[in-house]
Amino acid sequence: MAQCVQSVQEFIQDSFVPMVAVLCSEDAERVTRKNNLSFPELLRPFCRLTSEGHLRDPNNQVVVVKGLRISVTGINTRPPQSPELHRLLSQAVSVCQPPEGSPANVIAAGDYDLNISATTPWFETYRENFLQSMPASEHEFLNHYLACMLVVSSREAVPTEQFLKLSQEQHRIQHSGEYTHPKWFIPNTLKYYVLLHDISEGDEQRADSVYEDMKQRYGTQGCYLLKINSRSGSTGADEQMPDPWSQYLHKTSIHNPELYEESAVSNAVENNIGAEEDGLNPSIRDGVSETHPLQLDHPTDAGYPGNNASQSVNNVDETRPQKQASGTSHTSPTPRGTCLTLNDHDHMRQFIQEFTFRGLLPHIEKNIRQLNDQLVSRKGLSRSLFSATKKLFGGGKVPEKSIAELKNTAGLLYPSEAPELQIRKMADLCFLVQHYELAYNCYHTAKKDFLSDQAMLYAAGALEMAAVAAFLQSGAPRPYPAHYMDTAIQTYRDVCKNMLLAERCCLLSAEILKSQVKFSDAATLLIKMTSEDSDLRSALLLEQAAHCFINMRSPMVRKFAFHMILAGHRFSKAEQKRHALRCYSQALQVYKGKGWTLAEDHINFTIGRQSFTLRQPENAVAAFRHILINDSKQSAVQQAAFLREYLYVIISPLYFQNSVNSPSSS
């Protein structure tokens, strides 16, 4: 796989973080909207701890929490449904392209010097957005809310009454039974009371007085006075303030689809370029749908002039871009944080630190202890989770029965107080605060119980997280149990019919295998997860598999090139023209001049068509010319089709215009 910006440990830790809901009063929302941000958006750049946290486990051992990130979202935030998720993931990949003029990464592999991408940020963007979009599930608690911030403005007539209303609203949402979403980790959700004070228009003495009253009511550990908007219009009007929000909002834009409107418009234009020239190219107009990456006879391309684009679940929904196209002339970015100073940034950073250290971590520690006491005291649980002997926790294997032989009880639901679920809940709490050894022991115990009940969805979840927890344990006391992940993937995919969870397993396991220099195993896993239900996912995974082949100790150059072609084919079907062109161009380095003329013809033909679609007529002409100037092994019919393509590009207005405007033209 290509190099990633984050280490595998950082990637996994950021994929599973404590979830915190936000419930704001109307006036508090008005205060934050002065910065063109909601309250959760306001906090997002400051949600990673800059110092260590500490808590004690049930054995009274100190657990050190480093680099913890928390996720703060509105209480009504819901992950997108499947069609919208496909569209947003497609846009996330489309807007992330290799930077112009980026330095070449040359890999020497045998007789080849290959210029390929060192990193694939489009894959990391897809992966991050995908993982953040995972819906809350009944079989795990990792993305259930642990706490809720109740936010009230200091300008309220009686702030304590507003806090009471918000508290009652949160209680109703969680306990009334009227809502299936959001989902909550534990019944006694932590409520953290935040008094939001607008310095530019509020009475600071009154805010301080209200806060003193809050500390008496809720305790110093349960409330906070956050002062913001200290920048007035007259001070620092010409000062350029940093905008730390843009990168975070783009990273989490799976919940902010409006950020992708502009790219959706350009993508729609790109994929329909030349439609007005329909009829100029009969060899394309009369073609059939492209069904195989190496098929040359009568090829078609949905983005090429004269073809009707076929719709699939991966295609960008073009109704929205057309609707928005009239508004793209004013695409200047909305300024954010215009009422904030650097001191305000520090205040928000300090607020998150205080909330986590004085509120969230003690709350988690208390609940881990309570769950431990309940589990150990239950008559039905005859063993202690914390006398972890080799017999109980020594990495027992999955039963000899294959997954196919096990009874399908994927729909089984445990009651909320079932000891099996309490063990899973405790495991998830330990995992979120980086106590991986205890988390592994709990997952391992839960896995045995779930397999015994043949509750396969729960068993797969426990196997998945047991494998991850084993890998993350400091000092690596036990090897990474890859067979746990393999079983989890097979169960999710074949028994539970849940491709989202199977894909999550694949993304986690592939990154772990890569970190252990097991590129062959990682490539095999990635290829297995390709399927016909998602061209975009298949393209991304095939590209990563290609990078695995080229990064082996003995690089497998031909496998790299072949899988890049497969990736390019799937990118093209997913309407990702630029990524498709990049994949084919990188693969051409391997096939060029090696005597594999049919393969080279196919690649050049595809590069020519994609280049023209992307308004690169010079590159298109060069690719088509290469097919025509050498001795061809193609049939006469196919050679005639190539010639028609070449002539079509030559006489196109786009090529003529570029030739006239070129400085080198005579």
Side-chain angles (χ1 to χ4, degrees), residues 261-331:
E261 291 301 336
E262 182 181 357
S263 67
V265 173
S266 62
N267 196 55
V269 171
E270 194 171 88
N271 289 331
N272 291 281
I273 176 177
E276 69 279 3
E277 299 170 352
D278 190 11
L280 289 180
N281 193 352
S283 69
I284 302 173
R285 185 185 64 241
D286 298 334
V288 295
S289 297
E290 186 176 8
T291 57
H292 190 278
L294 298 181
Q295 176 178 314
L296 274 173
D297 294 330
H298 305 293
T300 65
D301 190 314
Y304 205 75
N307 287 329
N308 296 320
S310 59
Q311 297 297 319
S312 71
V313 294
N314 303 294
N315 290 352
V316 177
D317 180 1
E318 294 178 5
T319 59
R320 193 164 182 173
Q322 291 168 358
K323 180 179 169 184
Q324 297 287 337
S326 60
T328 58
S329 59
H330 51 280
T331 56

Side-chain angles (χ1 to χ4, degrees), residues 290 292-296 299-301 304 564-565 568-570 572 577 580-585 588 598-614 619-620 623-624 627 642 645:
E290 186 176 8
H292 190 278
L294 298 181
Q295 176 178 314
L296 274 173
T300 65
D301 190 314
Y304 205 75
M564 287 299 281
I565 289 175
H569 174 66
R570 300 303 288 269
S572 183
K577 306 301 180 186
L581 176 59
R582 176 181 46 75
C583 289
Y584 277 102
S585 298
L588 181 60
L598 295 180
E600 195 173 346
D601 284 351
H602 165 76
I603 297 171
N604 274 302
F605 177 80
T606 307
I607 289 175
R609 304 195 83 200
Q610 299 284 17
S611 296
F612 186 81
T613 300
L614 294 168
N619 293 339
F624 284 129
I627 302 175
F642 288 161
E645 298 280 349

Side-chain angles (χ1 to χ4, degrees), residues 472-496:
L472 289 176
Q473 287 184 55
S474 59
R478 53 177 58 85
Y480 169 61
H483 62 287
Y484 277 18
M485 276 294 200
D486 294 340
T487 304
I489 291 172
Q490 186 182 355
T491 304
Y492 281 142
R493 183 181 57 197
D494 300 335
V495 178
C496 306

